[in-house]
Amino acid sequence: PDRVFDQDPRFGFVVLSEIAVRALSPGINDPGTANKVIQTMIRLLHFWYRQPVEHTAESACDRIEVPELSMRGVFNDAFTAIGRDGAGMVEVAVTLQRALASLAGLDNHAMAEAADDHARMALARAEQALEMAEDLAAVRRAAGIER
């Protein structure tokens, strides 16, 4: 009935995302914490990518099945709200674009596809939210669109 980190990795990403979004709220206005959360999630996803999946033929619990985690679902939990609420802050939008680009470069099709989709959505939000041309140019450079 309760989500716990050890049994539900997506829950950890939800909680981290909520921390970032709360930091981005107008009353707190702390983009540094949001950037730190993004960096933490990137480290976790890189660690996840590097860990080999071990399949054993025998198991003590051979009648339990667990569905595979959806990479798209993990990315939705992790980055949707940050991309939305951080779109108007150039420092967050740039960090998010760089972070997603690092994940898109990994040799993992599902992760790269989810990262590309979230980078595209975050860029679209930044294009609507940022008013200063220099800020938008910085986000586009981080997204690999402008030089």
Side-chain angles (χ1 to χ4, degrees), residues 10-31:
R10 285 182 61 176
F11 180 53
F13 287 102
V14 168
V15 171
L16 285 169
S17 180
E18 288 173 351
I19 291 167
V21 168
R22 188 159 295 126
L24 293 172
S25 69
I28 297 177
N29 192 24
D30 180 12

Side-chain angles (χ1 to χ4, degrees), residues 47-114:
F47 178 76
W48 185 356
Y49 166 75
R50 287 191 309 265
Q51 296 306 304
V53 177
E54 294 182 22
H55 297 283
T56 58
E58 294 183 31
S59 174
C61 303
D62 61 354
R63 291 174 292 184
I64 296 175
E65 292 185 27
V66 178
E68 186 174 339
L69 285 174
S70 158
M71 191 57 66
R72 184 163 306 283
V74 170
F75 273 68
N76 290 345
D77 292 341
F79 301 114
T80 299
I82 297 171
R84 180 195 64 225
D85 292 359
M89 296 181 181
V90 65
E91 58 271 50
V92 175
V94 166
T95 298
L96 185 56
Q97 288 297 331
R98 290 178 179 161
L100 292 168
S102 77
L103 293 172
L106 296 176
D107 186 24
N108 180 306
H109 179 72
M111 193 176 286
E113 188 175 89

